Each structure stands twice: as C-alpha cells, then as structure tokens.
Amino acid sequence: MGKPAVSTPSAAGKKERKKSGKGARARSAVKYKLFTPGPVQVPGYILDELGSKLVYHREEAFSKIFASVQKGLQKVLVTRNDVFVLTASGTGAMEAAVVNLVSPEDKVLVAISGKFGERWRELCIRAGAYVDSLTRPYGESVPPVEVERHLLAADTVKCVFTTLAETSTGALNDIKAIGEICRRLNRILVVDAVAGLGADELRTDAWHVDVVVGGSQKALAVPPGLSFITLSERAWELVQRSKGVRYYFDLQAYRRFAAKGQTPWTPAISLFYGLDAALRRIAKTGVVRYWNSHKQMAQFVRGKMKRLGLELFAAKPSNALTAVKMPVGVDGAKIVEACKGEGFLFANGQANLRGKIVRIGHMGPVSKSSMTRALACFRKQFLKAAGRAH
Ligand SMILES: *Cc1c(COP(=O)(O)O)cnc(C)c1O
C-alpha cells in the first residue's frame, strides 16, 4: 500500500508555484523582438484585447464584433464586397480559394516569382487542375505582358493565381496591370496578399482583383491564426459552378452565415478582438497612410543597407520586407544567429537561399527607434562577418 496520491494544500501550492516559475522562465527565455516577415511583433494595444473577453458566437455580442471586423477589412482591402475571416493561417485562405474556384481538370495559370507562388501551383495540382506555370527566377517580378501572352495562348484558362508581395524574395508584383489584363480577357484573378496586405498598395475593386487572400500575422500585426478572403460577383458565379471538394472552407456556407453576422463554425473569438483593435487603429490612420508608413520604413531600411554596400535581392521590392544579398564569403545565417543572441530576430533565406540573403521584415506599426536599434545590431554583425572593422 503506497501513500495516497493526495498532497497537502501547501505542498500543492509549492508545486504549482514551481511549475509556473518554470513556465515564466521558459517564456522569458525568448528575448528577441521579431523583425521577421511574419509573424511580426504584436503591439500592446492588440495583445491587450486577446485575453480579456470571450462571448458566445451565436449571440449578438459576437455579431457586433463580426460587423466591425468586416467594415475594417473592407477598408484595408479597398473593396465593397464581403470579406470572410477563416480560422487558419494564410495558407488556409489560399486553400479555400482553390477548392472553391477550381474543379478537377480545369485549366489555370499560376504566375510564380518565388516560394509562395509555388504554393499556388501545388494547391492547384492537388485540386486536380491542369496548371500552366509562368515562372520567373527568384528575385524577379512577374512581367504582366507575360501573363497576357500566356492567356492569349490558352483561352480555356479560367483562373490566374499570383502573389502581391513574394515573401521568399521580397519582390512585388504589378497586380494593377495584371488585373487590367485579366478583366479585359475575362479571367478570374486570385491574389495572395498575405504579406502585402496593409504594407503595399492594393485596391481590390478598382484594380479588378476578383479574389484576395490575407493573413493576420503580417502587416496587420495580429497574432497568427486568422486569414481572410474576399470574392467578386464574377468569382462567386464560378464558385457556384465549381466542383472542388470543400467542407470547412465552403465559402457559400460562410456567405450564408455572414448574412446574420456569424461564421459557420466556431470562430477564434479572442483573435477577432485583436483583429478588431488592429483594424480600428488602421481605419483611424487611413489605409493610404498605413501603406505610406510601410513605404517610409522600407526606404529607411534600404538606405541603411545601401550604406553598408549591400544590394537588394528583389529587382522591384515590396514595402513589406527587405531581402538583402550577402556578398560572396559572408554567411547571412551567422549574422541572423548573432543578432538573435542580441535580441533582434531577422529571417534567413529559405531553401537554397539560406545564408545567401537575409530578410528583414518591416510589417506592422514598427517604430523607427526600434528598427534603428535592430539595424545597428545588423550592421555590427555584418561588419564582423565580413571581416571588416567598424
Ligand atoms: C506568410 C505568407 C503566406 C501564408 O503562410 P502561413 O504560414 O500559412 O500564414 C502566404 N503567402 C505569403 C506571400 C506569405 O508571406
């Protein structure tokens, strides 16, 4: 017979304290600020909203926040159409776009300028589509005339998938020009704006973009977990006809529930509050000014890089992030590692770009003083890695 497995209140309390002490240590072990291209540092006024409230999602209180978020997202996307919030990271909204628009054996065009463009291709292949890929080398943007050439050669292509800000390279695509071509040739344009949304100019309706997807953890500076999708009437017509298999991401269900201020499944209610705080702040600033603040931050970062003699990886860069090329013999991964130790987290290049580029995220309301400190650390570690004194 062993001792009963009951501890005295004081012993239990001690154990609890010990446990939470450990937890606190584990949390405080993360001693860096995020300068990564998503997730980004979340400001206090957004964090404060997350833990405070929980309402029932079939109740009026939720419909209120739903309506407020809807209005805020329409402003950021510059659209009059509904915007749906999904409980999923950005890739979830990409998948939602594909399974709602693409039927097996459909022909689609994917205009690719990096890793996220490749994700569209993979999703479309899984959906059973015949995929025509227009691929540019990493660092370049998609030339709109090439999109036009591909579409003129294949009049059965229904949808064109592309990316606003290609986070793997820092390149920006000319969505306005591509939108004009797609409208003229009567094709549905689907844009991954997960990274660019809020950072780069994007006028969904005026630029004839039929479908846009976005995510919470990039330029809106909300924690990860939510993504967004909006569709034009033309796109809805295709959704109604398409035979892609969907359940959780069935956008027609989202549309039915949106009419009463709800989502079909239990939403990430706490994140809605964070998102609402972010969107209200952006609405107050105005979306054009929010874009401009990203442009100014991008210029500030690029000025500092130029002074170090570093070149940008992207020929036409987005305002969401700056990818800089490392000179031969300088390992960017070492700089990233050293800066992390000093409290500033940048991102490496992905796959075979690892070490060859460093990506500096400047999405969200980053302060100039905090960026100045981060870049001073980058400078120091770069000069060290390059074997130059400073
Ligand atoms: C971050 C990002 C995504 C989505 O990635 P998740 O990890 O699923 O949020 C998609 N496209 C681009 C361009 C991105 O930057």
Side-chain angles (χ1 to χ4, degrees):
M1 226 177 69
K3 267 200 213 161
V6 180
S7 41
T8 61
S10 71
K14 227 175 178 175
K15 220 167 155 188
E16 241 348 277
R17 275 197 299 280
K18 220 170 148 191
K19 240 166 78 189
S20 68
K22 238 187 197 163
R25 261 203 304 284
R27 276 196 300 280
S28 65
V30 181
K31 282 221 176 76
Y32 51 73
K33 279 198 166 181
L34 298 170
F35 292 88
T36 41
V40 307
Q41 201 65 34
V42 180
Y45 64 86
I46 294 174
L47 278 178
D48 286 348
E49 292 297 315
L50 301 174
S52 56
K53 298 160 190 158
L54 201 58
V55 296
Y56 184 54
H57 62 291
R58 301 293 179 219
E59 206 242 317
E60 213 185 297
F62 180 74
S63 299
K64 258 185 164 161
I65 192 95
F66 182 98
S68 177
V69 160
Q70 174 74 224
K71 240 171 70 188
L73 283 171
Q74 284 174 323
K75 282 185 186 147
V76 172
L77 283 154
V78 202
T79 182
R80 299 177 68 168
N81 294 317
D82 285 347
V83 187
F84 304 94
V85 180
L86 314 176
T87 308
S89 76
T91 308
M94 293 174 76
E95 177 151 345
V98 171
V99 296
N100 280 275
L101 290 163
V102 178
S103 306
E105 308 204 347
D106 272 359
K107 291 193 179 66
V108 302
L109 172 64
V110 184
I112 302 168
S113 55
K115 191 171 174 281
F116 289 98
E118 285 160 13
R119 188 165 297 176
W120 275 136
R121 179 171 58 198
E122 284 166 28
L123 283 160
C124 289
I125 288 171
R126 298 263 180 122
Y130 293 113
V131 179
D132 178 10
S133 307
L134 189 183
T135 308
R136 302 307 299 177
Y138 275 44
E140 289 183 22
S141 301
V142 172
V145 289
E146 285 291 305
V147 174
E148 183 167 19
R149 203 174 58 77
H150 275 250
L151 291 178
L152 288 172
D155 56 10
T156 52
V157 164
K158 285 184 188 162
C159 298
V160 177
F161 292 86
T162 195
T163 319
L164 174 64
E166 179 47 77
T167 321
S168 61
T169 68
L172 179 74
N173 282 315
D174 187 347
I175 300 303
K176 188 181 181 191
I178 296 172
E180 191 272 318
I181 291 162
C182 288
R183 182 51 57 104
R184 181 156 41 80
L185 300 177
N186 196 26
R187 317 300 168 95
I188 300 287
L189 175 60
V190 186
V191 172
D192 166 3
V194 177
L197 186 63
D200 292 303
E201 183 178 8
L202 173 67
R203 298 177 184 274
T204 304
D205 293 356
W207 291 4
H208 310 297
V209 187
D210 294 288
V211 180
V212 179
V213 303
S216 57
Q217 80 276 28
K218 308 280 170 110
L220 304 188
V222 176
L226 297 179
S227 51
F228 327 115
I229 184 164
T230 183
L231 297 90
S232 68
E233 269 317 308
R234 274 159 30 106
W236 277 116
E237 284 167 25
L238 186 55
V239 169
Q240 276 147 24
R241 293 200 308 274
S242 77
K243 297 183 179 63
V245 177
R246 61 250 188 177
Y247 187 90
Y248 188 74
F249 289 138
D250 180 355
L251 294 176
Q252 286 173 291
Y254 279 86
R255 198 183 204 190
R256 279 197 305 278
F257 277 82
K260 46 185 176 177
Q262 293 181 12
T263 54
W265 332 119
T266 312
I269 299 162
S270 317
L271 286 173
F272 261 78
Y273 282 101
L275 178 60
D276 190 45
L279 292 169
R280 279 167 187 267
R281 187 67 70 103
I282 296 170
K284 220 166 139 193
T285 311
V287 71
V288 173
R289 270 176 65 191
Y290 200 65
W291 294 332
N292 281 337
S293 71
H294 283 83
K295 187 175 178 178
Q296 278 161 17
M297 188 56 79
Q299 283 168 349
F300 176 68
V301 172
R302 283 157 204 174
K304 297 269 189 195
M305 293 301 119
K306 210 168 162 188
R307 252 175 280 160
L308 284 175
L310 292 177
E311 284 176 30
L312 301 194
F313 184 64
K316 262 194 66 191
S318 149
N319 291 327
L321 73 154
T322 296
V324 281
K325 284 193 240 179
M326 290 296 112
V328 182
V330 177
D331 182 0
K334 284 201 179 131
I335 299 170
V336 171
E337 192 56 33
C339 290
K340 178 180 157 186
E342 292 197 45
F344 306 100
L345 190 65
F346 301 109
N348 282 305
Q350 293 155 296
N352 56 359
L353 283 176
R354 192 184 161 84
K356 299 203 173 82
I357 63 170
V358 173
R359 294 177 303 150
I360 301 168
H362 32 77
M363 303 164 184
V366 193
S367 76
K368 203 163 172 183
S369 58
S370 137
M371 186 55 88
T372 302
R373 285 192 295 275
L375 295 182
C377 179
F378 179 92
R379 177 178 186 274
K380 186 178 82 182
Q381 294 301 342
F382 169 73
L383 293 175
K384 210 166 148 189
R388 284 196 247 152
H390 52 107

